Amino acid sequence: MISLLDYGAGNVRSVINALERLGETVQIVSSGDDILQADRLVFPGVGGFGSMMHTLREKNFVAPLTSYLQSGRPFFGICLGLQALFDGSEEAPGVAGLGIIPGQVKRFTVDLAVPHIGWNGIKVRQPSRLFNGLHGDEKFYFVHSYHVAPETDEWVLTATDYGYEFVSAVQKGNIIATQFHPEKSGKAGLALLENFLDTTREAVIPAAGPDPTRLAKRIIACLDVRTNDRGDLVVTKGDQYDVREHGEVRNLGKPVQLAGRYYEEGADEITFLNITAFRDFPLKDLPMLKVLELTSKNVFVPLTIGGGIRDYKDKNGRHWSALEVAAEYFRSGADKISIGSDAVLIVEEVLKTGQAGGMNSIGRIAGVYGNQAVVISIDPRRVYVETPDAVNHHVIETTSPGPGGEHYCWYQCTIKGGREGRDVDAVTLAKVCEQLGAGEILLNCIDRDGTNKGFDLELINAVKNAVSIPVIASSGAGNAAHFHEVFTRTDAEAALAAGIFHRQEVSIGEVKKYLQDKVEIRPV
Ligand code: 1PR
């Protein structure tokens, strides 16, 4: 049995799933005594440093945790579970950490997108049982805006490069903690956790090691999910968002099975979009929660879920906040949620009144689960204009002229799955959402969706140049070369595709094979 410290802030489901996959029975710690009696303790942290320490203090966990850490029994901290071991963090000035490792937690000061999201390598600095069976060139999944800075090298287990070198894991004796998420790092992550669990394994140094390490461009498989006319939950796919063919909803497979296949093929992330949630009561959509629960048991890469994350009233008049809807998804195994329609309405409110006020679900969800957990899914459509100042929107000059020979266009945001155009452009939307606390942009493009014509590079460049958070390019991928194009002609951090993977025209493995030696990727 292994004890897991859950202070109630977020998704510990994936850590439990990973430990159970490795044959462990997991006991959730609910009191200080549970901590003191644990044989082995895993501490996955999410949210912010300040709220984490506040909750640990409120629950009287600090003294038992400190005493456990001093006892020499096995401890594994993940992400904030690593940061908690330090004296304090720039994220919450004046809030004391556990003070086990002398040093501070600092915000990244880099010219790159922050949060640092995605798969990066490790440079091993000391032997550890964690590395049994690893070559050393594996990549692990990171998602964080702050990194630890120990005062001395004695604790440093691994370092990673992102603009500069930072400490990505620590170990002293039986205390081990990683900034990356082994539970979300595919087979390499599971191997590392398995090595932690077996304390009899020898301390080793892997044979290979990248120097510097490089963040991989992510390949994401997207599953648009909805109920078809027979009442079955299916993966579907639209042409410019129209998912019906001969009157029927296209059925391209079952969500859990397809997600499992993409994991095995090497997808770096999987996204589920519940595409009709805007008109349903999201939490009545229990099959979607079930899909997440089942998928997260077998898929050990990050899962994003979108669709219906908004305030709503159910048929009994009960008010559900977007935060409560998101909480259900996190509890069921999501690592990130994505907000589509509601983000447009929130930004409209900000543009009208100067603030989001009570509508700001982006900020509220980010406040509890961290910015990295909030993705904004934008569904824009091109609108051509004759001159750059024809509209009060972010207009770009385009190399693909419009039907009347127009050389300018703007990207109009839509809601309800493209059904309704609004008076907001995609660049403004992305910028305002970043200010409100979003951690990533999923940039679809209705004109390119399902066309196999390649990504809309002009759209991606316009949005990417306007924000400092990562951008996922989406819509239009038709072959492996399109991924190369989007990664070399824009600065997008990730590329997402649906149709070509579902129709088995190109596999994720083939995309990665094509990109190998051209673009930094996580090898399959
Ligand atoms: O508005 O918060 O309830 O969220 C609804 C979500 O569902 C949004 O993220 C929206 O993008 C999505 N959605 C709504 N209707 C559709 C539709 O297709 N009718 N799908 C839809 C969006 C676009 C992509 C697609 C890529 C890649 N799908 O996610 O997977 O375009 O496709 P491709 O590689 O085949 O070109 P809310």
Side-chain angles (χ1 to χ4, degrees), residues 222 224 237-238 241-243 273-275 277-278 306-309 338-342 377 379 416-417 419 444 448-451 474-477 496-500:
C222 181
D224 291 351
K237 183 68 216 55
Y241 283 36
D242 180 2
V243 299
L273 296 176
N274 186 356
I275 67 170
F278 69 87
I309 314 270
S338 99
I339 305 179
S341 302
D342 216 31
S377 168
D379 300 315
K416 302 180 182 169
R419 286 168 182 79
N444 302 299
R448 294 295 175 104
D449 175 58
T451 62
S474 163
S475 304
L496 170 151
I500 52 165

mmCIF file of all heavy atoms in Angstrom, residues 222 224 237-238 241-243 273-275 277-278 306-309 338-342 377 379 416-417 419 444 448-451 474-477 496-500, ligand 1:
data_model
loop_
_atom_site.group_PDB
_atom_site.id
_atom_site.type_symbol
_atom_site.label_atom_id
_atom_site.label_comp_id
_atom_site.label_asym_id
_atom_site.label_seq_id
_atom_site.Cartn_x
_atom_site.Cartn_y
_atom_site.Cartn_z
ATOM 1 N N CYS A 222 -7.028 15.078 -31.429
ATOM 2 C CA CYS A 222 -8.255 15.682 -30.900
ATOM 3 C C CYS A 222 -9.465 14.819 -31.254
ATOM 4 O O CYS A 222 -9.618 14.379 -32.393
ATOM 5 C CB CYS A 222 -8.438 17.074 -31.497
ATOM 6 S SG CYS A 222 -9.904 17.898 -30.863
ATOM 7 N N ASP A 224 -13.425 15.046 -31.305
ATOM 8 C CA ASP A 224 -14.684 15.778 -31.159
ATOM 9 C C ASP A 224 -15.745 14.732 -30.839
ATOM 10 O O ASP A 224 -15.944 13.792 -31.614
ATOM 11 C CB ASP A 224 -15.062 16.479 -32.472
ATOM 12 C CG ASP A 224 -14.112 17.635 -32.797
ATOM 13 O OD1 ASP A 224 -13.295 17.991 -31.937
ATOM 14 O OD2 ASP A 224 -14.206 18.172 -33.909
ATOM 15 N N LYS A 237 -16.405 14.089 -36.751
ATOM 16 C CA LYS A 237 -15.457 15.032 -37.345
ATOM 17 C C LYS A 237 -16.186 15.829 -38.401
ATOM 18 O O LYS A 237 -16.883 15.255 -39.230
ATOM 19 C CB LYS A 237 -14.277 14.264 -37.968
ATOM 20 C CG LYS A 237 -13.198 15.142 -38.553
ATOM 21 C CD LYS A 237 -12.467 15.888 -37.452
ATOM 22 C CE LYS A 237 -12.021 17.264 -37.752
ATOM 23 N NZ LYS A 237 -12.758 18.325 -38.197
ATOM 24 N N GLY A 238 -15.998 17.133 -38.355
ATOM 25 C CA GLY A 238 -16.693 17.990 -39.302
ATOM 26 C C GLY A 238 -15.843 18.383 -40.487
ATOM 27 O O GLY A 238 -14.630 18.181 -40.518
ATOM 28 N N TYR A 241 -16.699 22.374 -39.583
ATOM 29 C CA TYR A 241 -17.569 22.236 -38.417
ATOM 30 C C TYR A 241 -18.916 21.581 -38.725
ATOM 31 O O TYR A 241 -19.743 21.453 -37.838
ATOM 32 C CB TYR A 241 -17.791 23.573 -37.689
ATOM 33 C CG TYR A 241 -16.595 23.964 -36.833
ATOM 34 C CD1 TYR A 241 -15.301 23.691 -37.247
ATOM 35 C CD2 TYR A 241 -16.760 24.601 -35.611
ATOM 36 C CE1 TYR A 241 -14.210 24.049 -36.481
ATOM 37 C CE2 TYR A 241 -15.674 24.974 -34.833
ATOM 38 C CZ TYR A 241 -14.393 24.695 -35.279
ATOM 39 O OH TYR A 241 -13.315 25.045 -34.508
ATOM 40 N N ASP A 242 -19.136 21.147 -39.953
ATOM 41 C CA ASP A 242 -20.384 20.448 -40.245
ATOM 42 C C ASP A 242 -20.118 18.954 -40.116
ATOM 43 O O ASP A 242 -19.418 18.358 -40.941
ATOM 44 C CB ASP A 242 -20.851 20.798 -41.662
ATOM 45 C CG ASP A 242 -22.145 20.078 -41.999
ATOM 46 O OD1 ASP A 242 -22.684 19.361 -41.131
ATOM 47 O OD2 ASP A 242 -22.621 20.240 -43.143
ATOM 48 N N VAL A 243 -20.686 18.338 -39.058
ATOM 49 C CA VAL A 243 -20.337 16.943 -38.776
ATOM 50 C C VAL A 243 -21.321 15.948 -39.402
ATOM 51 O O VAL A 243 -21.214 14.750 -39.184
ATOM 52 C CB VAL A 243 -20.258 16.677 -37.249
ATOM 53 C CG1 VAL A 243 -19.190 17.529 -36.611
ATOM 54 C CG2 VAL A 243 -21.603 16.901 -36.560
ATOM 55 N N LEU A 273 -13.260 17.169 -27.155
ATOM 56 C CA LEU A 273 -14.151 18.322 -27.190
ATOM 57 C C LEU A 273 -15.586 17.822 -27.289
ATOM 58 O O LEU A 273 -15.948 17.112 -28.234
ATOM 59 C CB LEU A 273 -13.829 19.232 -28.385
ATOM 60 C CG LEU A 273 -12.438 19.875 -28.359
ATOM 61 C CD1 LEU A 273 -12.193 20.676 -29.630
ATOM 62 C CD2 LEU A 273 -12.269 20.774 -27.131
ATOM 63 N N ASN A 274 -16.352 18.146 -26.261
ATOM 64 C CA ASN A 274 -17.758 17.775 -26.217
ATOM 65 C C ASN A 274 -18.495 18.842 -27.025
ATOM 66 O O ASN A 274 -18.840 19.893 -26.517
ATOM 67 C CB ASN A 274 -18.174 17.786 -24.737
ATOM 68 C CG ASN A 274 -19.562 17.275 -24.516
ATOM 69 O OD1 ASN A 274 -20.276 16.969 -25.465
ATOM 70 N ND2 ASN A 274 -19.952 17.199 -23.259
ATOM 71 N N ILE A 275 -18.715 18.571 -28.308
ATOM 72 C CA ILE A 275 -19.024 19.687 -29.210
ATOM 73 C C ILE A 275 -20.467 20.175 -29.164
ATOM 74 O O ILE A 275 -20.797 21.195 -29.745
ATOM 75 C CB ILE A 275 -18.636 19.357 -30.682
ATOM 76 C CG1 ILE A 275 -19.512 18.245 -31.239
ATOM 77 C CG2 ILE A 275 -17.172 19.041 -30.806
ATOM 78 C CD1 ILE A 275 -19.331 18.061 -32.742
ATOM 79 N N ALA A 277 -22.033 20.444 -26.110
ATOM 80 C CA ALA A 277 -22.297 20.738 -24.695
ATOM 81 C C ALA A 277 -22.898 22.123 -24.496
ATOM 82 O O ALA A 277 -23.504 22.385 -23.474
ATOM 83 C CB ALA A 277 -21.013 20.602 -23.887
ATOM 84 N N PHE A 278 -22.729 23.003 -25.495
ATOM 85 C CA PHE A 278 -23.256 24.359 -25.316
ATOM 86 C C PHE A 278 -24.779 24.364 -25.173
ATOM 87 O O PHE A 278 -25.365 25.259 -24.607
ATOM 88 C CB PHE A 278 -22.827 25.272 -26.476
ATOM 89 C CG PHE A 278 -23.467 24.920 -27.785
ATOM 90 C CD1 PHE A 278 -24.711 25.438 -28.125
ATOM 91 C CD2 PHE A 278 -22.825 24.061 -28.667
ATOM 92 C CE1 PHE A 278 -25.299 25.108 -29.328
ATOM 93 C CE2 PHE A 278 -23.420 23.724 -29.871
ATOM 94 C CZ PHE A 278 -24.659 24.244 -30.203
ATOM 95 N N GLY A 306 -12.915 19.814 -23.256
ATOM 96 C CA GLY A 306 -13.598 21.077 -23.507
ATOM 97 C C GLY A 306 -15.053 20.831 -23.832
ATOM 98 O O GLY A 306 -15.459 19.715 -24.156
ATOM 99 N N GLY A 307 -15.824 21.901 -23.739
ATOM 100 C CA GLY A 307 -17.250 21.806 -24.060
ATOM 101 C C GLY A 307 -18.092 22.011 -22.823
ATOM 102 O O GLY A 307 -17.999 21.237 -21.868
ATOM 103 N N GLY A 308 -18.859 23.080 -22.824
ATOM 104 C CA GLY A 308 -19.837 23.292 -21.754
ATOM 105 C C GLY A 308 -19.263 23.779 -20.437
ATOM 106 O O GLY A 308 -19.934 23.682 -19.410
ATOM 107 N N ILE A 309 -18.034 24.287 -20.447
ATOM 108 C CA ILE A 309 -17.480 24.810 -19.182
ATOM 109 C C ILE A 309 -18.001 26.237 -19.031
ATOM 110 O O ILE A 309 -17.465 27.191 -19.604
ATOM 111 C CB ILE A 309 -15.930 24.809 -19.186
ATOM 112 C CG1 ILE A 309 -15.380 23.504 -19.716
ATOM 113 C CG2 ILE A 309 -15.391 25.201 -17.814
ATOM 114 C CD1 ILE A 309 -15.126 22.421 -18.758
ATOM 115 N N SER A 338 -10.855 23.125 -21.413
ATOM 116 C CA SER A 338 -10.794 24.204 -22.391
ATOM 117 C C SER A 338 -12.149 24.893 -22.484
ATOM 118 O O SER A 338 -13.204 24.249 -22.405
ATOM 119 C CB SER A 338 -10.287 23.690 -23.734
ATOM 120 O OG SER A 338 -11.342 23.458 -24.607
ATOM 121 N N ILE A 339 -12.080 26.205 -22.592
ATOM 122 C CA ILE A 339 -13.296 27.019 -22.616
ATOM 123 C C ILE A 339 -13.423 27.637 -24.002
ATOM 124 O O ILE A 339 -12.473 28.264 -24.491
ATOM 125 C CB ILE A 339 -13.221 28.136 -21.557
ATOM 126 C CG1 ILE A 339 -12.947 27.535 -20.166
ATOM 127 C CG2 ILE A 339 -14.496 28.964 -21.545
ATOM 128 C CD1 ILE A 339 -12.825 28.567 -19.054
ATOM 129 N N GLY A 340 -14.556 27.458 -24.637
ATOM 130 C CA GLY A 340 -14.766 27.999 -25.973
ATOM 131 C C GLY A 340 -15.729 29.176 -25.951
ATOM 132 O O GLY A 340 -15.348 30.326 -25.744
ATOM 133 N N SER A 341 -17.027 28.876 -26.093
ATOM 134 C CA SER A 341 -18.039 29.932 -26.214
ATOM 135 C C SER A 341 -17.967 30.934 -25.062
ATOM 136 O O SER A 341 -18.042 32.154 -25.266
ATOM 137 C CB SER A 341 -19.434 29.298 -26.238
ATOM 138 O OG SER A 341 -19.528 28.384 -27.295
ATOM 139 N N ASP A 342 -17.854 30.416 -23.851
ATOM 140 C CA ASP A 342 -17.914 31.303 -22.687
ATOM 141 C C ASP A 342 -16.774 32.322 -22.694
ATOM 142 O O ASP A 342 -16.945 33.453 -22.240
ATOM 143 C CB ASP A 342 -17.850 30.456 -21.402
ATOM 144 C CG ASP A 342 -18.717 31.059 -20.311
ATOM 145 O OD1 ASP A 342 -19.732 31.685 -20.652
ATOM 146 O OD2 ASP A 342 -18.365 30.924 -19.130
ATOM 147 N N SER A 377 -10.204 27.644 -26.165
ATOM 148 C CA SER A 377 -10.380 27.103 -27.504
ATOM 149 C C SER A 377 -11.079 28.160 -28.359
ATOM 150 O O SER A 377 -12.206 28.567 -28.062
ATOM 151 C CB SER A 377 -11.232 25.827 -27.413
ATOM 152 O OG SER A 377 -11.645 25.428 -28.680
ATOM 153 N N ASP A 379 -12.609 29.451 -31.977
ATOM 154 C CA ASP A 379 -13.189 28.956 -33.233
ATOM 155 C C ASP A 379 -13.383 30.134 -34.190
ATOM 156 O O ASP A 379 -14.509 30.610 -34.388
ATOM 157 C CB ASP A 379 -14.557 28.295 -32.961
ATOM 158 C CG ASP A 379 -14.461 27.118 -32.005
ATOM 159 O OD1 ASP A 379 -13.559 26.285 -32.175
ATOM 160 O OD2 ASP A 379 -15.277 27.043 -31.077
ATOM 161 N N LYS A 416 -20.880 28.611 -29.881
ATOM 162 C CA LYS A 416 -21.795 27.489 -30.179
ATOM 163 C C LYS A 416 -21.322 26.707 -31.400
ATOM 164 O O LYS A 416 -22.080 26.498 -32.363
ATOM 165 C CB LYS A 416 -23.217 28.004 -30.387
ATOM 166 C CG LYS A 416 -23.750 28.766 -29.178
ATOM 167 C CD LYS A 416 -25.155 29.255 -29.413
ATOM 168 C CE LYS A 416 -25.621 30.052 -28.200
ATOM 169 N NZ LYS A 416 -26.862 30.784 -28.426
ATOM 170 N N GLY A 417 -20.066 26.332 -31.391
ATOM 171 C CA GLY A 417 -19.546 25.489 -32.462
ATOM 172 C C GLY A 417 -19.621 26.145 -33.827
ATOM 173 O O GLY A 417 -19.960 25.491 -34.806
ATOM 174 N N ARG A 419 -21.662 28.371 -34.886
ATOM 175 C CA ARG A 419 -23.006 28.743 -35.364
ATOM 176 C C ARG A 419 -23.261 30.242 -35.295
ATOM 177 O O ARG A 419 -24.097 30.755 -36.002
ATOM 178 C CB ARG A 419 -24.072 28.001 -34.547
ATOM 179 C CG ARG A 419 -24.179 26.513 -34.908
ATOM 180 C CD ARG A 419 -25.028 25.774 -33.871
ATOM 181 N NE ARG A 419 -25.112 24.351 -34.136
ATOM 182 C CZ ARG A 419 -24.171 23.467 -33.839
ATOM 183 N NH1 ARG A 419 -23.037 23.870 -33.283
ATOM 184 N NH2 ARG A 419 -24.330 22.188 -34.102
ATOM 185 N N ASN A 444 -8.236 26.907 -33.257
ATOM 186 C CA ASN A 444 -8.863 26.239 -34.394
ATOM 187 C C ASN A 444 -9.026 27.235 -35.534
ATOM 188 O O ASN A 444 -8.743 28.423 -35.381
ATOM 189 C CB ASN A 444 -10.249 25.716 -33.993
ATOM 190 C CG ASN A 444 -10.184 24.757 -32.829
ATOM 191 O OD1 ASN A 444 -9.551 23.709 -32.925
ATOM 192 N ND2 ASN A 444 -10.805 25.102 -31.716
ATOM 193 N N ARG A 448 -10.362 26.114 -42.287
ATOM 194 C CA ARG A 448 -9.465 25.002 -42.621
ATOM 195 C C ARG A 448 -9.929 23.660 -42.064
ATOM 196 O O ARG A 448 -9.479 22.610 -42.523
ATOM 197 C CB ARG A 448 -8.054 25.282 -42.058
ATOM 198 C CG ARG A 448 -7.347 26.461 -42.705
ATOM 199 C CD ARG A 448 -7.072 26.172 -44.179
ATOM 200 N NE ARG A 448 -6.500 27.329 -44.841
ATOM 201 C CZ ARG A 448 -5.226 27.467 -45.157
ATOM 202 N NH1 ARG A 448 -4.359 26.501 -44.884
ATOM 203 N NH2 ARG A 448 -4.792 28.561 -45.755
ATOM 204 N N ASP A 449 -10.802 23.671 -41.070
ATOM 205 C CA ASP A 449 -11.201 22.438 -40.384
ATOM 206 C C ASP A 449 -11.633 21.360 -41.380
ATOM 207 O O ASP A 449 -12.502 21.604 -42.234
ATOM 208 C CB ASP A 449 -12.361 22.761 -39.420
ATOM 209 C CG ASP A 449 -12.924 21.524 -38.741
ATOM 210 O OD1 ASP A 449 -12.159 20.820 -38.071
ATOM 211 O OD2 ASP A 449 -14.133 21.260 -38.911
ATOM 212 N N GLY A 450 -11.010 20.200 -41.263
ATOM 213 C CA GLY A 450 -11.399 19.058 -42.094
ATOM 214 C C GLY A 450 -11.052 19.169 -43.567
ATOM 215 O O GLY A 450 -11.448 18.316 -44.360
ATOM 216 N N THR A 451 -10.294 20.202 -43.965
ATOM 217 C CA THR A 451 -10.034 20.400 -45.399
ATOM 218 C C THR A 451 -8.775 19.682 -45.895
ATOM 219 O O THR A 451 -8.570 19.552 -47.095
ATOM 220 C CB THR A 451 -9.844 21.895 -45.728
ATOM 221 O OG1 THR A 451 -8.687 22.356 -45.002
ATOM 222 C CG2 THR A 451 -11.061 22.716 -45.356
ATOM 223 N N SER A 474 -4.291 24.377 -34.760
ATOM 224 C CA SER A 474 -5.281 23.338 -35.055
ATOM 225 C C SER A 474 -6.009 23.632 -36.365
ATOM 226 O O SER A 474 -6.117 24.794 -36.766
ATOM 227 C CB SER A 474 -6.298 23.287 -33.902
ATOM 228 O OG SER A 474 -7.469 22.613 -34.290
ATOM 229 N N SER A 475 -6.490 22.579 -36.976
ATOM 230 C CA SER A 475 -7.373 22.603 -38.156
ATOM 231 C C SER A 475 -6.619 22.616 -39.478
ATOM 232 O O SER A 475 -5.822 23.515 -39.744
ATOM 233 C CB SER A 475 -8.321 23.812 -38.149
ATOM 234 O OG SER A 475 -9.088 23.853 -36.976
ATOM 235 N N GLY A 476 -6.904 21.592 -40.281
ATOM 236 C CA GLY A 476 -6.428 21.581 -41.663
ATOM 237 C C GLY A 476 -5.304 20.611 -41.967
ATOM 238 O O GLY A 476 -4.941 20.446 -43.139
ATOM 239 N N ALA A 477 -4.730 19.942 -40.943
ATOM 240 C CA ALA A 477 -3.596 19.050 -41.226
ATOM 241 C C ALA A 477 -4.032 17.958 -42.206
ATOM 242 O O ALA A 477 -5.050 17.299 -41.997
ATOM 243 C CB ALA A 477 -3.092 18.413 -39.942
ATOM 244 N N LEU A 496 -2.302 20.243 -33.471
ATOM 245 C CA LEU A 496 -3.389 19.296 -33.193
ATOM 246 C C LEU A 496 -4.059 18.891 -34.503
ATOM 247 O O LEU A 496 -4.215 19.713 -35.405
ATOM 248 C CB LEU A 496 -4.376 19.994 -32.256
ATOM 249 C CG LEU A 496 -5.730 19.370 -31.939
ATOM 250 C CD1 LEU A 496 -6.180 19.800 -30.546
ATOM 251 C CD2 LEU A 496 -6.783 19.721 -32.966
ATOM 252 N N ALA A 497 -4.429 17.624 -34.578
ATOM 253 C CA ALA A 497 -5.164 17.176 -35.758
ATOM 254 C C ALA A 497 -6.193 16.141 -35.352
ATOM 255 O O ALA A 497 -6.086 15.512 -34.282
ATOM 256 C CB ALA A 497 -4.219 16.603 -36.800
ATOM 257 N N ALA A 498 -7.167 15.969 -36.211
ATOM 258 C CA ALA A 498 -8.237 15.024 -35.910
ATOM 259 C C ALA A 498 -8.466 14.094 -37.095
ATOM 260 O O ALA A 498 -8.135 12.912 -37.056
ATOM 261 C CB ALA A 498 -9.508 15.794 -35.565
ATOM 262 N N GLY A 499 -9.007 14.644 -38.189
ATOM 263 C CA GLY A 499 -9.454 13.827 -39.317
ATOM 264 C C GLY A 499 -8.412 12.850 -39.842
ATOM 265 O O GLY A 499 -8.706 11.660 -40.011
ATOM 266 N N ILE A 500 -7.185 13.328 -40.069
ATOM 267 C CA ILE A 500 -6.212 12.412 -40.685
ATOM 268 C C ILE A 500 -5.890 11.234 -39.759
ATOM 269 O O ILE A 500 -5.607 10.140 -40.237
ATOM 270 C CB ILE A 500 -4.875 13.086 -41.112
ATOM 271 C CG1 ILE A 500 -4.251 13.881 -39.986
ATOM 272 C CG2 ILE A 500 -5.051 13.893 -42.372
ATOM 273 C CD1 ILE A 500 -2.789 14.239 -40.280
HETATM 274 O O1 1PR B 1 -18.102 26.346 -26.665
HETATM 275 O O2 1PR B 1 -17.003 25.914 -24.496
HETATM 276 O O3 1PR B 1 -18.988 24.571 -25.189
HETATM 277 O O4 1PR B 1 -16.790 24.292 -26.290
HETATM 278 C C1 1PR B 1 -17.165 23.562 -27.420
HETATM 279 C C2 1PR B 1 -15.916 23.062 -28.053
HETATM 280 O O5 1PR B 1 -16.311 22.211 -29.121
HETATM 281 C C3 1PR B 1 -15.052 24.155 -28.619
HETATM 282 O O6 1PR B 1 -13.728 23.911 -28.255
HETATM 283 C C4 1PR B 1 -15.214 24.023 -30.132
HETATM 284 O O7 1PR B 1 -13.980 24.207 -30.793
HETATM 285 C C5 1PR B 1 -15.650 22.592 -30.296
HETATM 286 N N1 1PR B 1 -16.613 22.423 -31.396
HETATM 287 C C6 1PR B 1 -17.885 22.842 -31.405
HETATM 288 N N2 1PR B 1 -18.477 22.461 -32.565
HETATM 289 C C7 1PR B 1 -17.556 21.817 -33.282
HETATM 290 C C8 1PR B 1 -17.754 21.224 -34.603
HETATM 291 O O8 1PR B 1 -16.835 20.712 -35.226
HETATM 292 N N3 1PR B 1 -18.991 21.274 -35.105
HETATM 293 N N4 1PR B 1 -15.268 21.215 -32.950
HETATM 294 C C9 1PR B 1 -16.395 21.784 -32.555
HETATM 295 C C10 1PR B 1 -14.174 21.838 -33.070
HETATM 296 C C11 1PR B 1 -12.274 21.705 -34.201
HETATM 297 C C12 1PR B 1 -11.060 21.043 -33.832
HETATM 298 C C13 1PR B 1 -10.772 19.955 -34.821
HETATM 299 C C14 1PR B 1 -9.642 20.568 -35.595
HETATM 300 C C15 1PR B 1 -8.806 19.602 -36.335
HETATM 301 N N5 1PR B 1 -13.385 20.980 -33.733
HETATM 302 O O9 1PR B 1 -10.938 20.688 -32.546
HETATM 303 O O10 1PR B 1 -10.506 18.829 -34.110
HETATM 304 O O11 1PR B 1 -10.207 21.536 -36.487
HETATM 305 O O12 1PR B 1 -9.537 19.006 -37.343
HETATM 306 P P1 1PR B 1 -8.821 18.463 -38.645
HETATM 307 O O13 1PR B 1 -7.456 18.011 -38.260
HETATM 308 O O14 1PR B 1 -9.677 17.325 -39.096
HETATM 309 O O15 1PR B 1 -8.823 19.605 -39.617
HETATM 310 P P2 1PR B 1 -17.781 25.339 -25.649
#
